[in-house]
Amino acid sequence: MTGLCLAAAAISAALPLQGFTLAWTHSIEKIRWEEDYRIVGQHLELVEARIRGSGAGMEPPDGAMLKNGVWHYRPTLPLLPRLRLARSGYVADYELCWDAQCKPFRDIVDAPEAGQVVDLFACDLK
């Protein structure tokens, strides 16, 4: 079975997920972003993205639809082998959401260290 792995320095976690939402708050505008992914083979597919507003550098792309104050759109990206996310203790942590619950990364792979990078990728679960 394939799932989602998270790796940061010497810390790792494997979750039995086939889909998840990555969420974060923009560090300047304080607006929430969400991206829905599903695992396809050994890759991640970005299915939909949402922005709960707009601001500097955060304009919704062409074709985005406003529904209940949230911009919805589908980015046109190829399948991704992994996501590399930089974390900082100076801004709100990323959240990983599945089964109608969200958890900050610190609850999954510990608190961020300065300049820490977390990789998210599809992996085989034993």
Side-chain angles (χ1 to χ4, degrees):
M1 176 180 171
T2 304
L4 178 68
C5 283
L6 292 86
I11 301 168
S12 65
L15 303 170
L17 306 177
Q18 293 304 301
F20 62 93
T21 298
L22 176 66
W24 68 94
T25 300
H26 190 278
S27 61
I28 303 298
E29 298 290 342
K30 307 298 186 217
I31 293 174
R32 186 172 175 91
W33 287 60
E34 297 174 347
E35 295 178 341
D36 296 335
Y37 290 87
R38 70 177 166 198
I39 296 174
V40 178
Q42 292 296 315
H43 292 86
L44 303 176
E45 179 182 26
L46 179 52
V47 178
E48 183 185 73
R50 292 173 298 285
I51 308 171
R52 297 188 184 279
S54 61
M58 299 175 28
E59 292 74 25
D62 291 338
M65 298 187 66
L66 185 61
K67 299 176 191 172
N68 298 318
V70 179
W71 290 101
H72 294 252
Y73 63 100
R74 181 180 170 117
T76 53
L77 293 176
L79 293 176
L80 304 169
R82 67 181 52 230
L83 294 173
R84 294 187 56 98
L85 305 172
R87 296 172 69 207
S88 168
Y90 297 104
V91 296
D93 205 3
Y94 289 99
E95 291 183 351
L96 192 65
C97 309
W98 71 95
D99 293 338
Q101 294 183 16
C102 294
K103 293 184 179 186
F105 273 31
R106 79 180 99 264
D107 290 353
I108 302 168
V109 290
D110 211 357
E113 296 177 15
Q116 182 187 56
V117 173
V118 175
D119 286 317
L120 281 69
F121 53 95
C123 61
D124 292 324
L125 303 176
K126 296 179 181 181

